[in-house]
Amino acid sequence: MTAWLAQHLALVMFAVLGVALFCGYPVGLVLGGLAILFGAAGWALGAFEPIQFANLLPRMFGAVAANSILVAIPMFIFMGMLLEKGGIATRLLHCLEVLTRRVPGGLAMSVTLMGTIMAATTGIVGASVIMLTLIALPAMLARGYSKELAAGTIASAGTLGILIPPSIMLVVMGDLLQVSVGTLFAGALFPGLLLSALYLLYIGAISWLKPGLAPALPPDVGPKSRAEFWRMIGKSFFPPVLLVVLVLGSIFGGWATPTEAAGVGSLGAIGLVWHAGKLDAKTVQETIESSALTNAMVFMLFFGATAFSFVFRALGGDDIVKDVMNAAGIDTGWEVLIFVQALVFALGFFFDWIEISLIVLPVFAPLLRDFDFTGHLGPGGNTLFLAWFIIVLAVNLQTSFLTPPFGFTLFCMRGTVPPSVSMGDIYRGIVPFVVLQLIGLALTIWLPELVLWLPRRTGLLL
Amino acid sequence: MKRLLGLSEMIDRALARIALAAGWLFFVATAVICFDVVTRKFGYQLPGFGSTRLQELEWHLHAAIFSFWLGFAYVRNAHVRIDTLTAGLRPRSHAWLELAGCIMFALPYCVVALYFGADYAWTAWARNEASESLSGLPYRWIPKAIIFAGMLLLLAGVLSVALKAITYLFGADGLRERAAFAGMRKR
């Protein structure tokens, strides 16, 4: 018994994690605590030496702190928060609403467009869905939109931000699987835009067929004269769009690393908030506080997960994962791919992408390194496969977050919507978007060039 | 009990002060990155501030930004939890769970990290470690000490929350309202 336990301690550790996470204690600390507890258990069983804990600090330091790639995360969060707290996002939404006033479902389309443009603000699903619900839902309900369409649009637009660059999720996944972040940003652009276009088409079609679902903007709202209209475009529309285009363009063009683009983007965002006359003490305080709290949350998870996967490895976790997969008959590339995707889809019912990436990817990374999928993707080796794999994973996660009854996005939304919007409204509203997601997912898997064309073209992938 | 709660509130105030001061580093990091990008594109170099040094400075700042907020984020309940199963529990049960979590998970983690972290930072100081790169920054003990400080602040945050949970569970009725810590309320 003891011998079996000593050999399979990593497996037990993973099982205990599955239970302990649900006790409601902060995930990062649960991960860190389990690392220490199972290190001690391994010591008692002769499978771990306490001195091995000394390697923990160099890992936490080297992989999390002294990591130039991860510096992009606080900077993108900061840039996004500036745009949100500085009121740039709200004004952009209003501007889009006016621009699309003659299109059926204009306001819903504006929400989707804002989710696309402001993807940086919406890097963390929980935070972004809550923000979009607060900004857009009251406006949509006030205009007489159907609750279902409003809820579905907001949930899908809020989840779009994890895929569309600059995406914090892709920074994390790229760091974990050692794929360049620029490559991933370029790879995610077309799948993201495709999904966004599918959403817009659906909103347009349903609002055209059933105009009662999405009433047009009343004529007395918006700018009164042509001059006022252009002033609004110049002040609220072009600056944020230009900022996002510059940030992405400088990465794709190879002029700047994602970290540099995020830093310069933050300066740009400060400029925009100043230009809007909102760079006051209150906005600055709120921005700093929300950015730093979100950032600390992310890096607490990084610290905990680093400790967890370190002890998991030290207890022989990598071999056990391979053995278990072999015993289950999952060993060809496609089988592993489908298995990991299915696992992540299921985990997306309960966890945000940070926990999933930080816990699951290190476990399967050694396995994933064995494949190249040359037959499906063309020559390019393992890096090419990993880049495509991550984008498929991202679209898959989005789909999972939106799928009723458990989807993580829907769960976050429930706490924020006014009582007049029921869970049933949210479920009914999201179903068409889940179907669109599945189409997008199928296309991403079936036509890998959708992902790989831009990185190849820009020379980010050789 | 009153003293315990007072201590907890004192810790919270100290954590808030440190965190809010460190928050300004977002602006410093923005400035450093922009300065680096601009000087590199123009091929100009301020003596002593080469690109390697600036880029190392960037992650030093990054380390400080998240380290100094780890503890404060805990007392402000910003660390992500999975409360699918526990959301409906009574406040008392929440307090018990929080206390158990502090003792079982957070304390061992902080203590082990601090024990080895002190050694790690101290070695860097004693050996006068510097960047592996010749043109990099000296004093590698500074970022290592920042990580140590971050774990220390996290430990302080854990103590503060644990003290509040204890006061809530065993304190007089009058103290209970004050001790209702963030983890028991909806965010």
Side-chain angles (χ1 to χ4, degrees), chain B:
Chain B
M1 281 302 161
K2 203 159 186 172
R3 272 210 200 133
L4 292 186
L5 189 58
L7 178 62
S8 162
E9 283 166 350
M10 207 175 79
I11 294 175
D12 291 357
R13 279 194 298 274
L15 286 176
R17 189 161 295 177
I18 295 169
L20 290 173
W24 290 96
L25 294 177
F26 273 113
F27 286 95
V28 180
T30 304
V32 171
I33 293 174
C34 293
F35 182 78
D36 175 37
V37 171
V38 170
T39 50
R40 197 143 30 94
K41 299 299 166 200
F42 286 102
Y44 165 81
Q45 213 183 69
L46 204 65
F49 289 91
S51 200
T52 318
R53 286 194 160 195
L54 289 174
Q55 282 179 11
E56 289 189 359
L57 185 59
E58 285 162 22
W59 66 251
H60 282 54
L61 289 166
H62 151 69
I65 289 174
F66 77 79
S67 292
F68 290 134
W69 279 74
L70 289 177
F72 188 56
Y74 184 42
V75 301
R76 286 283 306 270
N77 195 26
H79 289 315
V80 58
R81 306 163 180 267
I82 313 297
D83 53 4
T84 330
L85 301 181
T86 51
L89 293 177
R90 292 178 309 135
R92 259 193 106 71
S93 317
H94 273 290
W96 274 115
L97 274 176
E98 199 71 17
L99 188 58
C102 287
I103 295 168
M104 266 177 61
F105 298 129
L107 277 178
Y109 179 55
C110 291
V111 167
V112 170
L114 283 172
Y115 177 79
F116 290 102
D119 192 45
Y120 191 53
W122 174 253
T123 314
W125 159 267
R127 290 190 194 153
N128 199 12
E129 269 175 37
S131 167
E132 309 85 64
S133 153
L134 276 177
S135 50
L137 286 174
Y139 310 128
R140 200 33 60 95
W141 62 269
I142 294 178
K144 291 181 177 178
I146 288 175
I147 300 295
F148 178 79
M151 293 310 289
L152 203 61
L153 294 174
L154 179 62
L155 181 67
V158 169
L159 283 180
S160 162
V161 171
L163 288 175
K164 284 208 182 78
I166 291 172
T167 316
Y168 188 86
L169 288 169
F170 309 113
D173 281 346
L175 290 177
R176 200 155 290 168
E177 188 61 20
R178 247 173 84 194
F181 54 93
M184 290 162 44
R185 283 183 247 123
K186 275 264 162 222
R187 245 187 280 175

Side-chain angles (χ1 to χ4, degrees), chain A residues 320-355:
Chain A
I320 293 180
V321 171
K322 277 197 177 155
D323 290 350
V324 170
M325 299 288 275
N326 280 333
I330 301 169
D331 36 23
T332 69
W334 280 102
E335 282 168 358
V336 172
L337 176 88
I338 292 169
F339 176 80
V340 176
Q341 299 286 353
L343 179 72
V344 165
F345 186 83
L347 290 174
F349 290 158
F350 304 103
F351 307 108
D352 205 340
W353 57 264
I354 317 178
E355 295 99 297

Side-chain angles (χ1 to χ4, degrees), chain A residues 35-253:
Chain A
I36 308 305
L37 294 182
F38 275 84
W43 182 29
L45 293 167
F48 190 86
E49 289 300 323
I51 191 66
Q52 285 178 271
F53 278 136
N55 290 330
L56 203 56
L57 263 293
R59 301 255 164 159
M60 282 160 61
F61 182 76
V64 186
N67 185 332
S68 295
I69 297 168
L70 294 184
V71 182
I73 294 177
M75 296 324 288
F76 275 130
I77 293 179
F78 184 53
M79 174 182 145
M81 285 294 176
L82 276 165
L83 296 177
E84 184 193 328
K85 303 284 175 199
I88 309 291
T90 319
R91 287 181 15 185
L92 177 65
L93 181 67
H94 179 66
C95 198
L96 289 166
E97 188 186 1
V98 171
L99 278 176
T100 56
R101 68 189 310 161
R102 290 194 220 310
V103 188
L107 178 53
M109 288 189 178
S110 308
V111 173
T112 303
L113 285 172
M114 197 178 88
T116 312
I117 299 168
M118 290 280 175
T121 335
T122 54
I124 287 148
V125 176
S128 73
V129 172
I130 290 168
M131 181 204 65
L132 265 183
T133 310
L134 290 176
I135 293 183
L137 190 64
M140 294 178 97
L141 294 179
R143 302 258 185 275
Y145 265 68
S146 99
K147 290 172 203 162
E148 283 139 41
L149 183 60
T153 307
I154 291 172
S156 59
T159 316
L160 209 49
I162 65 169
L163 175 65
I164 293 189
S167 148
I168 300 167
M169 177 173 83
L170 296 177
V171 178
V172 173
M173 289 184 169
D175 182 62
L176 289 170
L177 291 180
Q178 277 132 48
V179 183
S180 111
V181 177
T183 308
L184 293 179
F185 278 9
L189 188 68
F190 284 122
L193 292 181
L194 171 81
L195 283 170
S196 174
L198 286 173
Y199 292 174
L200 291 175
L201 278 175
Y202 165 74
I203 294 169
I206 191 88
S207 313
W208 184 61
L209 291 171
K210 299 182 185 169
L213 292 181
L217 197 62
D220 57 320
V221 178
K224 302 287 173 286
S225 65
R226 198 157 280 258
E228 204 182 318
F229 173 80
W230 285 111
R231 234 189 342 266
M232 184 185 78
I233 299 286
K235 214 169 149 116
S236 314
F237 180 76
F238 279 121
V241 172
L242 201 67
L243 179 68
V244 171
V245 168
L246 281 180
V247 166
L248 288 183
S250 62
I251 299 173
F252 296 159

